[in-house]
């Protein structure tokens, strides 16, 4: 099939950037979206034009490196699918496809479709872990975990940190990402000791990074390739409320 | 947001139930309206309760708007460069119309106060006769008032649906089943309240109440 | 000119002798320690943030060292370990099915076709149990039973259920555990994290590894970084084949640059071809996708009995199907080790019985399992894999059997290390897939994750102290002649790549190199093929340096430039792989020489002449490498012909 692409080109962080139109012909429906861009890039290079920069690595939908707005939808039209796993059979001959980078204050554009998502790492560094230095662990079977909790924790842990939730959110909020980690760890017995300091640290880091506030709009969970459920945010809110009221009375152990 | 919203919602519920008194006839409705001004007697003198209530509501409205403004400004700041391809709404429309919906409701509230509280914009405009004010307001030849009223209430319905769900969320609703229930409750509540508000003008319009 | 020169043998001097169960404990006891106050004065560079590098960086920082960590992705959480699906082995014997440290040790030595070191493998089996404890404490959401205890499953090549898993995302969950421990140390200021930085050279001063040259992939800035020791955890080099299950960015650059600076490269030709990948769909193919091996627990592999039978699979009656794995290997059936399953698939396709486009595929059929267990049960076990398959191929595996074909997956070879995981350059440690240590000629399923975490959490943090006890070493800065030279080399290379401005893209070269390697150094190798490949690689490499086109400059994000540097190193590695494969006149594990097979087509090992590790020394561009042999001794597991029949 033949396609018209309008792609955001921006040579560097300082450049203003613009949409540029390209024609790509003979696209096979079996190609992945990124393979289609590879074909375009090969052609651009031979024509002496700089190829379109985009992030990707595993191309298996698990590393979370890829991601772009495709016709205004994060990761494109197929639900539960990362950009790298999107295949061209989702499009038809003659389509025009707009391709833009994630847009958020906290995710500044580096070049073309490549953005800086290190704000996510900062949120994790601010509490998204269980303190368990190597060597200090008890025997794995000493603490059983109810299967239902283990499964729900797993569901939240499936987040790949791609940032589609932020890109899709009308408020540019990173709450789904933050809530996914809070939920995973607060469902496990191992996560209890740090439960309340964790949520405060992570929410503060989230706000500091310049993400917007959550208004429960629900766009994030629709865009999320891993289907992280919106109720994780409820769990975060609950922990956060408890944490802030606990913090207020300042009694250790309360 | 959730707390101020809940105060306003409580008021709306009372307001809606009060409105339904229209169906009990002119005397009873007028009596109710006057009683409203006197609640609290003899502990509180005269119209104190009314003014306390007005005060609380005004503060709640202002705080609600202030919180909304903070959120809106934050989200603008969080996305300084807009998308060239306008993102499709994939989540809930109710959620995406909170801001504009809120503005419409605010404009309506101002109109509504000038109309039925101070009487400035009401054809009868006699504060001592609320029943006839209402009947005059929604008379068939003044269909545009009813239309505006209806639009505002529909906007309110949307606003409430997402507002109520969102309040559950903000206050920590967290399980998937609870989510389904919260959504359903928010929907039922929004529909019931809007319906409650809408029956009055339509009753007048159709002559059921005259 | 000779392809290589044989040099002196090499020996691992760090492994203690004595009873195998006591060796690791003795080594830990005999190794020197660094007191906590001194640790703070020392810096360790860790290149790579996968299971090996991430766990090592976090643990070293917990111990009190200053750590500088590097990865080429935008976040340490995206290292390729994230893609591992199936699971991680551990000798917990929670199933009471006869497992033990000794059995895991035995299985791994045997699975590696007797080309690994007993001492190393035993240590791996010992610490495997600690890994599970550690990960659970970090909140890794492993699959659990209804009673709340951990679930396990069986995995290719093992008859016990010792594989722990987190649905089809085990690598992801384990890596996130290590990543979170790492980020905690970043937050505490003990680790300096440098994402989007690529190591392009090793700095060796007075015979010790003392630093690296890195390029900031965003700004293009090239800097020299120093430390008291350098740890490489940069993963495997399967991408030399262009098409593999590895992430697009996986590369050999870090280890190859170290090799050029004196670190020996061991067994480069030992590569693993995974039997269950989605077949190639066309020329545009940029990578191959693995379908977890766990699918073989319930799927049955078959092809039509007749050549060129192009009926739809459901129309082929039962008695016209050949369930060839069950037929040839009745006791292991569909669960034979990877190398055997892969070669069997190639064999049936070579007979013209392959299915799908180009006849390069075999069926993996779930119809029986679905009718036995019900669709629900299959969905619960493999739902996400089935979805992935459908997204990629557009076919529904609940209805039509999957098509699978082998693909390059893992590299057992890597930099040579001793028992302490130190390379032949003092102060240069190599962990994870980047070293050669524990898997011999073939890795068992679910053992790479185990090895990465064993190295990073438990082995290296203990053994590195023995080296650092002599530190801190002399302070260095960018003006040191060795640093200046290393940096200049990097800059020159970048300028050279940019200056060619030829008429072919980097990818076109990479693709062609990959095809040569797949054809001649893939599942089956022969002397004639390997010689041909060496000539072709050399010719193509010359073409590369004359005709490659890399646009833009080095002063910012330039993905073509990154790729070009990696492909240039793959060219050099590819040649060494072929030489290694050519010199090893036997078949073992993933290395199958057509000349060395039994009558019924099984691999024929030659323990008399080849029971050694081939460690290659670099002697200069265009000069033949020198081969150093490390003899392997088997005191506990006696080499036998592997049989899975
Ligand atoms: C699809 C797939 C499925 C798998 N499934 C399983 C399984 O089920 N069980 C199992 O046991 N094993 C499995 N494996 C194998 C296993 O995942 C890997 O062997 C293992 O994760 C390697 O870990 P590592 O830490 O050594 O390297 P990696 O995780 O590959 O990490 C390499 C790191 O080095 C960095 N790096 C590389 N080069 C440079 C450079 N030049 N400069 C700076 N940084 C650099 C990268 O950024 C990255 O952080 C699988 C492998 C694949 C490909
Ligand atoms: S929550 Fe979903 S969309 Fe957001 S980062 Fe995680 S996987 Fe991506
Ligand atoms: S490239 Fe890894 S998720 Fe898309």
């Amino acid at each position: 099939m033949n396609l018209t692409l309008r792609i955001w080109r921006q040579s560097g962080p300082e450049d203003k950037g613009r949409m540029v139109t390209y024609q790509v012909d003979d696209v096979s429906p079996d190609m992945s979206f990124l393979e289609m861009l590879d074909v375009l890039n090969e052609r651009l290079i031979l024509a002496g034009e700089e190829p379109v920069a985009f992030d990707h690595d595993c191309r298996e939908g698990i590393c979370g490196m890829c991601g772009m707005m495709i016709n205004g939808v994060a990761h494109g039209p197929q639900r539960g699918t990362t950009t790298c796993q999107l295949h061209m059979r989702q499009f038809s001959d003659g389509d025009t496809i707009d391709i833009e980078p994630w847009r958020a204050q906290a995710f500044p554009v580096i070049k073309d479709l490549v953005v800086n998502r290190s704000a996510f790492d900062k949120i994790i560094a601010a509490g998204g872990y269980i303190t368990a230095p190597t060597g200090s662990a008890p025997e794995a079977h000493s603490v059983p975990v109810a299967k239902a909790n283990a499964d729900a924790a797993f569901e939240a842990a499936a987040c790949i940190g791609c940032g589609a939730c932020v890109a899709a959110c009308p408020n540019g909020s990173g709450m789904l990402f933050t809530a996914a980690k809070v939920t995973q760890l607060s469902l496990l017995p191992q996560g209890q000791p740090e439960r309340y300091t964790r949520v405060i640290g992570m929410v503060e880091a989230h706000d500091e990074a310049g993400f917007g506030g959550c208004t429960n709009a629900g766009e994030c969970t629709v865009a999320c390739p891993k289907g992280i459920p919106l109720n994780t945010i409820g769990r975060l809110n609950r922990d956060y409320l408890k944490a802030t009221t606990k913090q207020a009375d300042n009694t250790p152990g309360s | 947001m959730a707390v101020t919203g809940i105060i306003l919602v409580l008021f709306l519920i009372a307001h809606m139930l009060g409105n339904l008194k229209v169906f009990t006839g002119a005397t009873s409705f007028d009596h109710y309206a006057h009683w409203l001004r006197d609640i609290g007697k003899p502990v509180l003198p005269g119209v104190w309760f009314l003014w306390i209530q007005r005060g609380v509501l005004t503060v709640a409205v202002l705080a609600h708007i202030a919180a909304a403004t903070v959120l809106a400004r934050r989200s603008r700041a969080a996305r300084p460069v807009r998308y060239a391809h306008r993102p499709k709404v994939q989540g809930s429309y109710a959620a995406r119309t909170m801001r504009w919906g809120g503005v419409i409701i605010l404009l309506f509230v101002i109109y509504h106060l000038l109309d039925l509280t101070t009487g400035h914009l009401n054809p009868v405009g006699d504060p001592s006769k609320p029943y006839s004010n209402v009947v005059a307001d929604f008379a068939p030849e003044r269909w545009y008032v009813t239309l505006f009223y209806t639009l505002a209430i529909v906007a309110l319905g949307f606003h409430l649906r997402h507002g109520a769900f969102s309040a559950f969320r903000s206050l920590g609703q967290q399980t998937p089943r609870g989510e389904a229930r919260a959504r359903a409750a928010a929907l039922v509540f929004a529909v019931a309240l809007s319906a409650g508000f809408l029956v009055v003008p339509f009753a007048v319009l159709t002559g059921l109440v005259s | 000119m000779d392809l290589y020169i044989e040099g002196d043998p090499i020996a691992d001097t760090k492994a203690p002798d004595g009873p195998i169960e006591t060796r690791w404990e003795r080594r830990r006891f005999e190794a020197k320690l660094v007191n906590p106050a001194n640790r703070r004065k020392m810096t360790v560079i860790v290149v790579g943030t996968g299971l090996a590098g991430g766990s090592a960086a976090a643990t070293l920082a917990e111990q009190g060292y200053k750590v500088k960590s590097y990865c080429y992705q935008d976040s340490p959480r995206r290292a390729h370990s994230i893609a591992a699906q199936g699971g991680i082995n551990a000798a917990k014997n929670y199933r009471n099915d006869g497992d033990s440290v000794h059995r895991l040790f035995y299985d791994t030595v045997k699975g590696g076709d007797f080309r690994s070191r007993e001492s190393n493998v035993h240590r791996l089996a010992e610490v495997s149990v600690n890994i599970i404890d550690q990960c659970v404490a970090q909140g890794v959401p492993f699959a659990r039973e209804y009673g709340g205890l951990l679930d396990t499953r069986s995995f290719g090549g093992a008859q016990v259920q010792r594989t722990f898993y987190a649905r089809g995302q085990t690598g992801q969950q384990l890596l996130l555990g290590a990543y979170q421990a790492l980020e905690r140390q970043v937050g505490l200021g003990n680790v300096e994290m440098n994402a989007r930085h690529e190591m392009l050279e090793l700095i060796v001063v007075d015979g010790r590894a003392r630093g690296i040259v890195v390029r900031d992939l965003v700004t293009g800035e090239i800097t020299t970084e120093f430390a008291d020791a350098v740890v490489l955890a940069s993963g495997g080099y399967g991408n030399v084949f262009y098409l593999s299950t590895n992430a697009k960015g996986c590369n050999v650059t870090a280890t190859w640059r170290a090799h050029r600076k004196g670190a020996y490269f061991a067994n480069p030709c030992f590569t693993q071809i995974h039997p269950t990948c989605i077949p190639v769909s066309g020329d545009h193919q940029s990578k191959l996708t693995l379908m977890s091996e766990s699918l073989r627990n319930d799927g049955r592999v078959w092809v039509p009995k007749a050549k060129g039978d192009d009926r739809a699979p459901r129309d082929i009656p039962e008695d016209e199907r050949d369930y060839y794995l069950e037929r040839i290997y009745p006791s292991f059936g569909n669960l034979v080790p990877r190398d055997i399953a892969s070669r069997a698939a190639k064999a049936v396709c070579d007979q013209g019985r392959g299915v799908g486009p180009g006849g390069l595929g075999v069926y993996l059929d779930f119809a029986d399992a679905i009718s036995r267990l019900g669709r629900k049960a299959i969905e619960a076990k493999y739902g996400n894999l089935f979805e992935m398959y459908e997204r990629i191929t557009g076919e529904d595996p609940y209805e039509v059997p999957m098509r699978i074909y082998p693909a390059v997956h893992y590299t057992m070879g890597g930099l040579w290390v001793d028992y302490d995981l130190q390379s032949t350059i003092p102060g240069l440690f190599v962990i994870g897939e980047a070293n050669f240590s524990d898997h011999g000629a073939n890795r068992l399923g679910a053992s790479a994750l185990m090895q990465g975490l064993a190295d990073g959490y438990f082995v290296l943090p203990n053994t590195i102290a023995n080296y650092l006890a002599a530190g801190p070493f002399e302070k260095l800065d960018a003006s040191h002649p060795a640093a200046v030279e290393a940096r200049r080399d990097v800059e020159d290379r970048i300028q050279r790549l940019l200056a060619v401005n030829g008429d072919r893209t980097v990818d076109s070269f990479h693709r062609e190199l990959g095809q040569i390697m797949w054809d001649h150094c893939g599942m089956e190798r022969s002397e004639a093929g390997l010689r041909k490949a060496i000539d072709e690689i050399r010719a193509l490499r010359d073409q590369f340096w004359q005709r490659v086109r890399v646009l833009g400059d080095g002063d910012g994000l330039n993905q073509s430039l990154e790729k070009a540097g990696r492909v240039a190193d793959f060219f050099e590695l590819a040649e060494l792989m072929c030489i290694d494969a050519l010199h090893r006149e036997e078949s073992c594990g993933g290395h199958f020489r057509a000349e060395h097979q039994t009558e019924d087509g099984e691999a024929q090992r030659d323990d008399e002449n080849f029971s050694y590790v081939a460690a290659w020394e670099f002697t200069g561009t265009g000069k033949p490498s020198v081969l150093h042999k490390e003899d392997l001794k088997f005191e506990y597991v006696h080499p036998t012909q592997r049989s899975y029949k």
Side-chain angles (χ1 to χ4, degrees), chain C residues 60-112:
Chain C
L60 291 171
E62 285 163 8
Q63 290 179 338
Y65 299 102
K66 291 258 160 286
V67 176
K68 293 188 194 173
S69 167
Y70 299 84
C71 68
Y72 69 76
Q73 293 93 345
D74 71 331
S75 161
R77 66 179 289 149
R78 307 202 202 284
H80 184 55
S81 296
I82 200 118
Q85 302 169 348
I88 178 166
N89 288 333
K92 282 282 196 187
N93 194 27
Y94 284 158
R95 290 273 172 178
N96 196 23
D97 57 0
D99 200 11
S100 63
V101 166
H102 195 82
R103 186 175 297 278
L104 177 53
F105 157 68
Y106 174 90
D107 285 353
T108 308
V109 172
K110 177 182 172 210

Side-chain angles (χ1 to χ4, degrees), chain C residues 10 44 139 329 381 429 575 586:
Chain C
I10 183 176
V44 180
Y329 306 99
K381 267 186 169 163
F429 291 79
E575 186 179 327
E586 65 162 348

Side-chain angles (χ1 to χ4, degrees), chain C residues 466-488:
Chain C
N466 188 59
Y467 174 79
L468 288 173
F473 302 105
E474 172 206 359
K475 282 263 164 291
L476 298 173
D477 64 35
S479 65
H480 189 283
V484 171
E485 190 194 320
R487 186 197 158 110
R488 204 189 37 236

